[in-house]
Amino acid sequence: MIARIWHGTTTKENASAYEQLVTTKIFREIEAKTGEGFHGVELFKRETAEEVEFTTMIWFKDLETIKKLTGEDYETAYVPEEARKILSHFDEKVIHSHLLYSTRQ
């Protein structure tokens, strides 16, 4: 399994709108594009004094599944236009890490 890890930041005023967009639309689009190789998503939220940072960890079977979403340039972040309008800034590139060990069930 491969985790695709990404960070995006928004204002406190836009945080709820971004959370709603990503959980009701964008994650579903990602699952639809990648099919059976999609193994779930986790969304993390951290508030700072001025902003709200979101971190996503999306689990995929393999690199070929990720390429169904991104094409050959699989390190480029998948950030639809409507999310770009809400975010203050975000990672242009993602981190990919292979799962070696987990106690999660």
Side-chain angles (χ1 to χ4, degrees):
M1 286 246 277
I2 298 175
R4 184 174 166 91
I5 305 163
W6 173 89
H7 304 92
T9 304
T10 188
T11 64
K12 288 186 176 191
E13 296 78 24
N14 286 336
S16 292
Y18 178 74
E19 184 178 343
Q20 178 76 12
L21 174 65
V22 76
T23 58
T24 62
K25 185 175 181 189
I26 294 174
F27 289 155
R28 289 180 183 168
E29 289 174 358
I30 292 170
E31 183 176 10
K33 287 183 178 191
T34 55
E36 292 181 17
F38 174 86
H39 287 281
V41 63
E42 294 164 315
L43 178 66
F44 301 88
K45 177 177 159 182
R46 181 177 74 95
E47 288 194 35
T48 66
E50 291 107 30
E51 299 179 307
V52 178
E53 179 184 80
F54 290 91
T55 301
T56 61
M57 186 176 300
I58 307 175
W59 296 95
F60 296 100
K61 176 184 174 184
D62 54 25
L63 192 56
E64 292 309 310
T65 301
I66 295 169
K67 288 180 180 180
K68 289 180 183 178
L69 175 67
T70 63
E72 288 300 313
D73 187 12
Y74 63 90
E75 291 184 336
T76 296
Y78 175 78
V79 186
E81 189 58 37
E82 50 194 323
R84 291 173 185 263
K85 291 177 182 177
I86 299 172
L87 294 166
S88 306
H89 50 278
F90 55 88
D91 295 346
E92 296 284 341
K93 299 288 183 179
V94 298
I95 297 169
H96 294 98
S97 292
H98 293 266
L99 179 64
L100 297 179
Y101 177 81
S102 175
T103 59
R104 291 185 58 197
Q105 300 202 19

